[in-house]
Amino acid sequence: MKKWITGIILMTAMVSLAGSFGLPTERIALGNVHNDNPSVKHLVCIWDAYSESWIQEHQTYDNSGIYLFQIPEWDTWYWIGLWDTTRGEYAFGEWVCHFK
């Protein structure tokens, strides 16, 4: 009987913690922005709305059309921006969030 009760307690604990293991990876399709002009440089930045700070300041983007990054926390909104260095403005921006 003790093993059975211990098993139920362990199973309950595992189910309650299951959502907190493994943070998701976000895959954003940016398209081939200015693919016809490889000299145009883009920078990617990520803004954390909860802490109101950059979690990733502007980093070079290779214009591959796909950008991957791991979400740092569940239930938090992040803004991903693509900065066009030639025009001096954002060419793309999107809010993402993953909920448990």
Side-chain angles (χ1 to χ4, degrees), residues 27-71:
R27 180 180 180 181
I28 298 178
L30 297 175
N32 292 329
V33 182
H34 295 291
N35 196 25
D36 55 332
N37 187 356
S39 65
V40 174
K41 292 188 181 179
H42 290 96
L43 305 173
V44 174
C45 58
I46 303 172
W47 175 260
D48 180 342
Y50 180 75
S51 66
E52 296 184 354
S53 63
W54 295 107
I55 63 165
Q56 174 183 306
E57 295 197 26
H58 294 78
Q59 294 182 352
T60 303
Y61 170 66
D62 62 3
N63 289 339
S64 65
I66 301 290
Y67 185 73
L68 297 171
F69 74 98
Q70 186 171 9
I71 299 291

